[in-house]
Amino acid sequence: MYQLFSDGILSIWKNQGISYIKVEELSTIEGITFFELIPDAELLDGGGVDTLYAIDSEDVDDMLLFSKNVRFVVHKIYLEED
């Protein structure tokens, strides 16, 4: 179960002390490419192709903007409060 990335999610993650967000391409459906955002993922997981962004970066802010062809989503397991 996924939810669209939002200001609310970003705020929660900042309050939880998340430093980095990893971006992984999920799939393309009807011309829309979906990317999963993973908070504080392992920085070195061997593949080297994953993209990491600092949570305070402009790139993360841009993920909140509407795009016709791209959606950034967060799996519900990353939204559960500890």
Side-chain angles (χ1 to χ4, degrees), residues 43-82:
L43 298 183
L44 299 172
D45 59 0
V49 294
D50 296 318
T51 307
L52 292 172
Y53 296 99
I55 196 160
D56 290 323
S57 73
E58 195 172 295
D59 292 315
V60 172
D61 291 338
D62 289 346
M63 293 174 197
L64 295 167
L65 302 174
F66 176 78
S67 170
K68 191 170 80 170
N69 302 322
V70 176
R71 299 290 187 280
F72 294 97
V73 296
V74 179
H75 195 278
K76 69 174 186 166
I77 62 172
Y78 302 119
L79 300 175
E80 297 170 356
E81 305 248 1
D82 292 335

Side-chain angles (χ1 to χ4, degrees), residues 20-24 36-39 41-42 45 50-52:
Y20 289 91
I21 297 174
K22 181 165 126 178
V23 179
E24 289 186 352
E36 180 177 10
L37 303 182
I38 303 169
E42 288 297 315
D45 59 0
D50 296 318
T51 307
L52 292 172

